[in-house]
Amino acid sequence: MTYIAKPKFHHPGLPKNELGFTHRDYEGKVSTLCAGCGHDSITASIIEACFELSIEPHRVAKISGIGCSSKTPDYFLGNSHGFNSVHGRMPSVLTGANLANRDLIYLGVSGDGDSASIGFGQFAHAIRRGVNMAYIVENNGVYGLTKGQFSATADRGSKSKRGVTNTDNAIDLVAIALQLGASFVARSFSGDKTQLVPLIEAAITHKGASFIDVISPCVAFNNHTGSTKSFDYVREHNDAVNRLDVITGRAPITVDYAPGTVQVVEQHDGTRLALRKLDADYDVHDRLAAMAFLQKHAAKGQVVTGLLYVDPEADDLHTHLNTVEQPLNTLEAKDLCPGSAALEKFNASLR
Amino acid sequence: MPAASPLSRVNDFVVRFANVNGSGSASANELFARSILRHGVPVSPRNIFPSNIQGLPTWYEVRVTEEGHLGARGGVDMMVAMNPQTWDKDVASIEAGGYLFYDSTKPLPASKFREDITVVGVPLTAITNSTYNDPRQRQLFKNIIYLGALSALFDMDPKLVETLIGEQYKGKEKLLSSNIHALHLGRDWALQNLKCPIGLRIKKADKVGDRIFIEGNSAAALGAVYGGATVCAWYPITPSSSLADAFTAHCKRLRHDPETKQAKYAIVQGEDELASIGIVIGAGWNGARAFTATSGPGISLMQEFIGLSYFAEIPAVIMDVQRAGPSTGMPTRTQQCDIISAAYASHGDTKHILLFPEDPAEAFEMAAQCFDLADRLQTTVFLMLDLDIGMNHRLCRPLKWDESKQYDRGKVMTAEMLEAGTNFGRYLDVDGDGIPFRTYPGTHPTKGSFFTRGTSRDEYARYTEEGSAYQANMQRLLRKFDTAKDLVPRPLQANAVKATKYGVIYFGSTAPAMDEAIGVLEARGHQLDRLRVRAFPFHSSVSSFIAGHDFVFVVEQNRDAQLRSLVVNELNIDPVRLVPILHYDGTPITARFIAKAIGDHLDQLKVTPLRKVVS
Ligand SMILES: Cc1ncc(C[n+]2csc(CCOP(=O)(O)OP(=O)(O)O)c2C)c(N)n1
Ligand code: SF4
Ligand SMILES: [Mg+2]
C-alpha cells in the first residue's frame, strides 16, 4: 500500500509544484543558528531545490555529523527522517542507510571540520565507493559550534577573529573529491542562491557520489577582514565557471542562454543540465582539466565555483555490489533465510 | 634422563605438528584430524599460529578423544617435529614416554634427542626428493607423505584417508591420484622400515555420531545469513576476518536471486572499524539487519558509535572474536578479555547485551538470535566469540533451523498504523517494557518522521536539555535492559551428583574444559554445581544460583576476572563469595588447569579448621 503525500493546507496564493506542494511543505523546524549564518542560506536553497524537483519530502533521508552545519537537517524537510549522527561519521552512516534502502534520496550534510578534519577519511571513502548521495559541505573554515577554532579548510595565512594566523596548508575538498573519483563535483557560495539551487537539484538527480562544497561564512567567527571565507572575500574572489539550469523531464523550463556558450548534459534519470558557460573553454567532462583549472585559479587566489565535473554515465555502489532492485530492508525471511533443507545439506558437507 | 616406558594409549592422546608457517602443512594436518573422525573417534584440533604469513613457526594440535573431551588437554604425546627452528622446545614439550616423529634425512647428534621418549625417524626429504622435482610439489607432498607414515604408525585404516582425499579432490583426477600416491609412499616406507603400530593407536569406534566439524566463525556467519542479515561492514582483523570471509562465501552460495543473479546482501570492507560500525548503524536505522565482525582493538575504536546505538536506540550486531589484549597484545592467541569493554562500551552510562556461545552450534543459533534481539531491543547486541571457538574446527551437534520461525522485527510502526491515527512518540514507552516504537525512514508522507540524534530528547524525539526528561529517558533505558533479561538465552545449570555447597560459573569457550574438569574433580572427591552463563544482562537465576551456594568459582580466560566483576556489580554480590579462577596465557583453558586450581582450593578448605585453631 502506498500513500500519496497530502500537502498541508496553505494560502491558496502560494506557488505549488507538480505534486501540489508549496515551499512550506519542505521546511523544517525554526533554525537556532546565528542570524545571518551562511548555513541558513544553504538550508533555504535545499528547500528550494527539493520544491523545484517536486520530491516527495518523506522519500529523503537527511544525514549529518556534528556541528552547526550538521544541525541544519532539522531545519528543512520536516517530514523526512533525519539523523544527526556523530562527529565526522555522516558518510558511513549514510552509506549504511543507502545500502539498506536504495530507493530513498540521500542528502548528506556536513561541515568542514566534520568532513575535512575528524571525518576526512570517511569523506574520502564514501566518495571513492560511489555511494549514491548528494554530499554537501557547509564550509566556513572554522569550527562554528566549538567557537571558532581553525578547521582544515582554513587557508594558510588567513586570520582568525582572535588575530591568530593559520600556518597550516588548507585542504580543498573539491580537489580531493575530483581525485577520489566523485562523479559530480561542484562548488558554490551560500550567498549565491541562483547558482546554488540548481547545483543542489543536479546533485540530487545525479546517480553516484555528488559532492558540493558550499562556502558558508560564519558570522560569529569567520566573517572579518583577514578571513578568506567571509562574505566580502568570497564575493570578490569568486570566479564562476558556469551557471546551471536543471531541466527535469517532467517540468521543462526554458533557459535563457546565448548559443555557443551552452552545454547540455543529460543525466541517468533523464534530467538535463543546461550549463551556461562563463569560461568558454571549460569542459565539465574532463576530470584532469578540472583539477588543473582549480589549481591554476587557486594559485591566483581565486575561488572557482560552478559545476566543475560531471560524469553523467556514472554508476553507484549498488551497481558495484550487484544488489537486488528491491530495497534490502524490505526483504523478508522467505527471501533471506535458506531454510532447513539447505542447512541439512551444509551439515552433510561437514562430516 | 630416567627411562620411561613408552605410552600406550588407544583413542586418547595428543599429537602436535610443529610446522613452518606457509609450508602448506595446514591442509595435510586437517586431513589427519578428519581421517580420525572417519574412524568414529572424536578429535579436537587447534591452530597455534603467529601473526605472520610466512616463515614463522605454527603448530597444529590434535587431541584424539574417544571420551569426547573437546577442550584443550595440555601436554603432547607425539610431536611431529617438522620445524628445525623450534626443535629444542618441541622436543622438550613431549610427555615422558611420548613419541617424536621427525625427518631423518640428515643425521642429528644424540644430544638433540631425549632418552625417555621414543624417536621415530622417517627420511621424508629423501623420499620426497627422489620422487618429485618441482620444489612446490616437494613441499606439498612431503606433508602428505608424513601423513601416510603416521597412518601406519597409528594403525589407521588407509581406506578412510583415501576416501577423504577422494572427496577433497573430487573431479580433479590428477591431483587425487598424486595425493593418494604420496600417502602410500609414506605409509609403505613406515610399514617396511618401522615397527608399526606404535603405542598410540586409533581404533574404530562409534563416538562421532551425526556431529559436524566446523569453525565457529563459519557457523556464526551462517547464523547471520539465517538470521536475515543483509548488510555486513567489516575491517580485517585476526581472528575475526574469517567470519566476514565466511559470510561472503555463504552469501555467494545462498543469497543470490536464482534468476537475476543479483545479491540479496551488501558487504562492504570498511576503511576502519569506525566506518564499519557507522555503516551498520546507518543500515539498522534504515530497517536492514546489519552486523560487523571485529576483535578487541576494533571494539575500542567503535566506542562512540556504540553509545549512539544505545542512546538513539538503533539496532546493531557486533560479533567480537576475542583475542588476547591489551593493545595489540597477542593477536593470534585466545582470551575472553573484552567482557567489560563490550558490556559498558562508550562514555556515559551505558550497558549492552552480550551473548556467550560455547561452540559453533551455539554460535550459529545465537548469531541468528542476535538480529531478533537487536531489532526487539533496538540497541547493540554483541556475540562474544573468541579465537578458540572462532578459528578452530570443533566437533558439535548439527546446525538446526526451525522452519516455523519468523523474524522478530520488534516494535516498528507501519504506515497503516500511522494512517489509523496511532500515537507515535519515538521514545515513548507505551506498554512498560521500556521499548518504544520506531518507524523506518520513508514510511509515511506526513506522519511518523522524526529526527534521530545522540543528544538528549523527549519522548517525541524533540531536542531537550531538561533534566527531568533526560532522567526519565535514562530510566526507561534501564527498564529496557531489565526487559532484556528475560529475552536473552538463559543460563544452563547442571547439578552435581551429590548435594554440594559449592558452585562454579563459566561461559563461552571454557565450557568443554569445564565439563571435563568436573569429572576430574569428582574423582578427587569434589562435588560442584555448574552454571553456564549464556548472556548479559544476567537472568535472575544467576543470583539465585550464587545465593544457593556457600561460594562460587568463576572460571574465565582473562587476568582481571571480568565476568566476575560484572556479576558483583550488576547483581550486588559480595565479592568474597565469588572465587576467581583465571587462565590468561593466551592458550585455551584446559581441564587440567581448572581441576587443579579448583581442586587445590577445595583441598585447602578441608584443612581450614586446623588453621583456625592455629590462629
Ligand atoms: C568526537 C568529538 N570530538 C569533538 C566534538 C566537538 N565538536 C562539535 S562540533 C565540532 C566542529 C564542527 O565544525 P564544523 O564541522 O566545521 O561545523 P560548523 O559548526 O563549523 O558548521 C567539534 C570539534 C564532538 N562533538 N565530537
Ligand atoms: S557559530 Fe557560525 S556556523 Fe555556527 S551558527 Fe553561528 S554563524 Fe553559523
Ligand atoms: Mg565549519
Side-chain angles (χ1 to χ4, degrees):
Chain A
M1 183 164 187
T2 55
Y3 292 88
I4 306 300
K6 288 185 209 75
K8 295 178 200 156
F9 179 78
H10 298 306
H11 190 276
L14 285 177
K16 289 182 180 149
N17 66 12
E18 218 176 80
L19 294 177
F21 288 115
T22 69
H23 262 93
R24 303 287 302 276
D25 298 303
Y26 295 89
E27 287 168 4
K29 297 225 162 64
V30 175
S31 169
T32 57
L33 303 185
C34 308
C37 174
H39 299 348
D40 277 337
S41 316
I42 302 172
T43 294
S45 291
I46 292 173
I47 292 171
E48 178 79 20
C50 293
F51 169 80
E52 289 288 345
L53 286 176
S54 293
I55 287 170
E56 286 183 284
H58 73 293
R59 303 303 294 172
V60 179
K62 327 167 276 187
I63 303 174
S64 61
I66 297 288
C68 296
S69 37
S70 290
K71 284 182 176 188
T72 62
D74 209 13
Y75 314 142
F76 58 81
L77 300 183
N79 280 324
S80 308
H81 276 64
F83 194 165
N84 194 186
S85 64
V86 285
H87 195 19
R89 318 296 170 204
M90 173 279 280
S92 64
V93 174
L94 189 150
T95 302
N98 182 299
L99 290 174
N101 183 358
R102 61 190 299 172
D103 283 357
L104 298 183
I105 291 166
Y106 292 91
L107 197 56
V109 175
S110 179
D112 43 314
D114 209 51
S115 280
S117 298
I118 191 168
F120 195 39
Q122 295 225 333
F123 156 80
H125 290 278
I127 286 187
R128 62 177 268 273
R129 286 190 188 106
V131 179
N132 189 11
M133 62 180 170
Y135 189 139
I136 298 173
V137 167
E138 309 191 342
N139 181 359
N140 52 17
V142 291
Y143 294 170
L145 195 59
T146 51
K147 304 207 182 309
Q149 301 85 353
F150 283 123
S151 85
T153 66
D155 288 305
R156 189 174 185 156
S158 64
K159 268 207 178 69
S160 79
K161 204 175 172 188
R162 292 183 200 150
V164 182
T165 304
N166 178 33
T167 54
D168 297 343
N169 289 322
I171 290 173
D172 182 353
L173 290 174
V174 160
I176 307 278
L178 281 168
Q179 201 276 326
L180 291 167
S183 46
F184 179 106
V185 183
R187 172 148 45 219
S188 190
F189 175 43
S190 61
D192 188 353
K193 225 174 152 182
T194 31
Q195 184 192 48
L196 181 56
V197 172
L199 281 176
I200 297 173
E201 289 176 37
I204 288 175
T205 57
H206 176 76
K207 181 181 177 188
S210 318
F211 176 71
I212 313 180
D213 177 38
V214 189
I215 296 169
S216 174
C218 167
V219 292
F221 303 107
N222 213 7
N223 197 31
H224 48 272
T225 3
S227 155
T228 57
K229 299 276 191 287
S230 68
F231 280 104
D232 290 344
Y233 185 91
V234 180
R235 278 208 190 91
E236 278 159 29
H237 296 78
N238 183 352
D239 185 22
V241 283
N242 48 39
R243 292 270 165 190
L244 186 68
D245 281 300
V246 177
I247 311 164
T248 62
R250 293 163 300 193
I253 25 171
T254 46
V255 231
D256 177 21
Y257 52 76
T261 61
V262 167
Q263 187 178 358
V264 176
V265 180
E266 182 143 359
Q267 298 206 107
H268 258 300
D269 69 339
T271 44
R272 280 180 296 149
L273 312 179
L275 278 163
R276 275 173 290 156
K277 296 217 266 183
L278 304 180
D279 195 307
D281 38 60
Y282 194 84
D283 177 4
V284 287
H285 297 310
D286 190 338
R287 189 185 293 274
L288 282 179
M291 290 162 93
F293 187 89
L294 203 65
Q295 304 288 344
K296 213 168 71 195
H297 285 70
K300 288 191 263 179
Q302 282 167 342
V303 186
V304 178
T305 60
L307 177 60
L308 297 169
Y309 176 76
V310 63
D311 171 7
E313 292 307 315
D315 46 30
D316 76 332
L317 182 58
H318 279 284
T319 319
H320 306 159
L321 296 175
N322 188 30
T323 39
V324 286
E325 299 302 322
Q326 195 186 339
L328 294 178
N329 70 353
T330 62
L331 298 177
E332 295 168 11
K334 67 175 169 38
D335 309 302
L336 300 174
C337 182
S340 54
L343 201 54
E344 277 312 315
K345 246 175 81 183
F346 183 65
N347 282 328
S349 74
L350 301 171
R351 289 188 176 117
Chain B
M1 266 175 261
S5 57
L7 292 177
S8 176
R9 291 222 192 101
V10 179
N11 292 351
D12 179 23
F13 54 90
V14 173
V15 188
R16 187 182 265 217
F17 298 83
N19 299 100
V20 175
N21 207 3
S23 64
S25 53
S27 56
N29 297 346
E30 199 186 311
L31 197 60
F32 173 75
R34 286 180 185 277
S35 308
I36 296 172
L37 282 181
R38 290 295 173 100
H39 286 74
V41 179
V43 294
S44 181
R46 284 182 169 78
N47 290 294
I48 302 130
F49 59 100
S51 175
N52 269 56
I53 303 302
Q54 210 176 1
L56 278 180
T58 79
W59 292 269
Y60 185 75
E61 178 181 296
V62 179
R63 178 177 188 184
V64 180
T65 164
E66 184 168 344
E67 295 284 309
H69 296 312
L70 302 180
R73 190 200 72 180
V76 178
D77 302 324
M78 153 80 93
M79 176 66 70
V80 180
M82 304 302 294
N83 187 356
Q85 245 183 57
T86 57
W87 175 275
D88 292 339
K89 241 181 114 187
D90 289 340
V91 170
S93 69
I94 302 168
E95 305 264 299
Y99 299 80
L100 168 68
F101 178 101
Y102 81 112
D103 181 353
S104 59
T105 307
K106 268 195 224 149
L108 285 173
S111 62
K112 284 287 183 190
F113 300 98
R114 270 167 53 184
E115 275 166 26
D116 62 337
I117 57 174
T118 306
V119 177
V120 184
V122 179
L124 291 169
T125 308
I127 303 175
T128 314
N129 290 1
S130 66
T131 320
Y132 305 97
N133 290 321
D134 176 48
R136 230 190 90 74
Q137 275 196 338
R138 280 181 176 175
Q139 191 168 54
L140 289 180
F141 287 125
K142 190 166 155 183
N143 301 323
I144 303 296
I145 290 170
Y146 75 60
L147 183 63
L150 289 175
S151 77
L153 292 165
F154 290 136
D155 200 18
M156 292 162 68
D157 181 351
K159 287 272 163 316
L160 293 173
V161 190
E162 284 173 25
T163 315
L164 259 181
I165 295 180
E167 287 167 20
Q168 192 169 336
Y169 296 105
K170 209 165 142 190
K172 298 172 191 152
E173 288 310 317
K174 248 187 94 183
L175 271 174
L176 196 162
S177 56
S178 48
N179 271 283
I180 302 269
H181 180 71
L183 182 79
H184 282 282
L185 269 181
R187 185 175 170 85
D188 294 348
W189 194 95
L191 287 173
Q192 282 157 24
N193 298 285
L194 301 169
K195 186 181 153 286
C196 295
I198 52 168
L200 307 177
R201 276 181 301 129
I202 302 292
K203 193 166 153 257
K204 278 189 197 156
D206 190 15
K207 293 288 167 58
V208 173
D210 68 346
R211 280 185 283 179
I212 59 168
F213 196 52
I214 185 176
E215 288 162 317
N217 280 353
S218 174
L222 192 66
V225 173
Y226 275 72
T230 52
V231 175
C232 166
W234 65 290
Y235 188 74
I237 183 168
T238 305
S240 73
S241 299
S242 63
L243 202 163
D245 288 342
F247 183 69
T248 310
H250 293 318
C251 282
K252 282 197 172 138
R253 203 159 44 82
L254 300 164
R255 279 278 194 81
H256 280 265
D257 186 290
E259 275 143 46
T260 64
K261 308 283 179 239
Q262 285 174 319
K264 291 185 225 167
Y265 62 92
I267 301 170
V268 173
Q269 186 188 312
E271 60 270 28
D272 53 29
E273 286 86 350
L274 279 73
S276 303
I277 187 67
I279 289 171
V280 168
I281 285 176
W285 174 74
N286 214 359
R289 294 190 148 188
F291 79 101
T292 183
T294 189
S295 192
I299 302 293
S300 294
L301 277 182
M302 293 176 185
Q303 298 282 314
E304 188 184 15
F305 259 128
I306 295 169
L308 176 72
S309 155
Y310 177 77
F311 196 53
E313 297 180 70
I314 298 163
V317 173
I318 300 177
M319 302 195 185
D320 177 7
V321 191
Q322 297 166 92
R323 64 187 216 184
S327 189
T328 308
M330 292 199 284
T332 57
R333 303 295 145 119
T334 196
Q335 265 186 5
Q336 299 174 312
C337 53
D338 299 342
I339 310 301
I340 297 279
S341 84
Y344 299 131
S346 210
H347 53 278
D349 293 323
T350 61
K351 293 173 202 272
H352 311 286
I353 316 288
L354 319 181
L355 305 194
F356 305 115
E358 65 162 347
D359 70 355
E362 215 172 51
F364 169 79
E365 288 155 14
M366 287 185 178
Q369 192 184 4
C370 279
F371 295 95
D372 276 357
L373 287 171
D375 270 347
R376 170 60 45 186
L377 295 163
Q378 298 175 21
T379 194
T380 293
V381 177
F382 287 90
L383 183 69
M384 303 299 284
L385 293 151
D386 61 25
L387 185 144
D388 189 39
I389 303 177
M391 287 190 73
N392 291 313
H393 280 87
R394 180 72 59 81
L395 200 61
C396 61
R397 63 195 146 82
L399 309 182
K400 281 223 155 43
W401 187 257
D402 174 6
E403 283 296 321
S404 64
K405 207 187 120 42
Q406 290 294 312
Y407 294 157
D408 176 10
R409 300 307 315 263
K411 288 183 180 169
V412 179
M413 202 164 279
T414 60
E416 287 79 2
M417 293 162 79
L418 292 165
E419 192 66 15
T422 318
N423 179 22
F424 173 65
R426 172 63 184 102
Y427 298 108
L428 190 65
D429 184 4
V430 284
D431 52 15
D433 65 2
I435 308 170
F437 269 88
R438 63 177 180 142
T439 53
Y440 297 153
T443 295
H444 190 282
T446 54
K447 301 182 170 90
S449 72
F450 65 95
F451 200 67
T452 306
R453 43 161 67 93
T455 39
S456 182
R457 68 281 145 141
D458 66 10
E459 291 167 326
Y460 291 88
R462 291 173 301 219
Y463 178 76
T464 176
E465 287 173 17
E466 199 62 55
S468 56
Y470 168 83
Q471 273 197 358
N473 185 58
M474 291 300 280
Q475 283 301 319
R476 180 181 56 75
L477 288 172
L478 270 187
R479 235 168 20 247
K480 184 166 91 165
F481 206 64
D482 247 4
T483 301
K485 291 177 181 165
D486 287 314
L487 297 178
V488 298
R490 300 245 165 135
L492 296 180
Q493 186 168 345
N495 285 344
V497 191
K498 291 186 210 144
T500 172
K501 293 183 283 184
Y502 313 125
V504 60
I505 285 178
Y506 62 107
F507 63 100
S509 67
T510 301
M514 187 65 234
D515 295 343
E516 184 185 351
I518 286 290
V520 181
L521 284 164
E522 258 169 28
R524 258 173 93 167
H526 299 303
Q527 300 280 325
L528 277 177
D529 293 334
R530 270 173 288 173
L531 189 75
R532 179 160 71 86
V533 168
R534 297 197 299 161
F536 177 72
F538 302 120
H539 185 255
S540 55
S541 56
V542 177
S543 297
S544 43
F545 180 82
I546 297 169
H549 294 89
D550 280 7
F551 61 82
V552 170
F553 297 97
V554 184
V555 184
E556 49 190 315
Q557 302 181 52
N558 57 63
R559 184 192 69 180
D560 289 347
Q562 297 189 20
L563 189 94
R564 176 176 171 274
S565 303
L566 215 53
V567 171
V568 168
N569 193 37
E570 294 289 326
L571 303 178
N572 246 328
I573 305 281
D574 180 354
V576 173
R577 314 218 17 243
L578 300 176
V579 182
I581 301 293
L582 305 169
H583 179 93
Y584 59 95
D585 66 1
T587 63
I589 195 167
T590 63
R592 284 181 183 178
F593 173 86
I594 299 173
K596 179 166 186 335
I598 294 184
D600 289 356
H601 194 100
L602 291 176
D603 284 348
Q604 259 183 24
L605 279 185
K606 288 184 179 160
V607 299
T608 309
L610 276 179
R611 276 211 198 138
K612 270 187 183 156
V613 174
V614 174
S615 66

